[in-house]
Amino acid sequence: MRTITDLVRPGVRRQREATATTQTMRPNVRTTWQQRLTGWGWFIALWCAGVAGTALLALPFKLIIATAK
């Protein structure tokens, strides 16, 4: 597939094709445990953000109640 760079600078395309033929490209494949670990990491990060957001929403009401006493 050609890109704008290939049309504007054909030397870049030739160099990329030359390095692609000399190097074996390994596919970017993740193992299942890495995918699951990433999924759990996102779940924990978003859960912590939700707990922190809830605490920030409750803070003004807590302060109002504390000053009323």
Side-chain angles (χ1 to χ4, degrees), residues 16-35:
R16 186 174 63 229
E17 287 174 349
T19 57
T21 57
T22 58
Q23 294 177 343
T24 57
M25 309 259 305
R26 289 180 14 165
N28 189 9
V29 178
R30 288 184 165 184
T31 58
T32 55
W33 68 269
Q34 287 174 325
Q35 289 175 341

Side-chain angles (χ1 to χ4, degrees), residues 37-55:
L37 186 64
T38 303
W40 275 106
W42 274 108
F43 174 77
I44 292 171
L46 292 174
W47 182 81
C48 289
V51 169
T54 304

Side-chain angles (χ1 to χ4, degrees), residues 50-63:
V51 169
T54 304
L56 285 175
L57 284 173
L59 183 63
F61 298 106
K62 188 174 183 178
L63 293 175

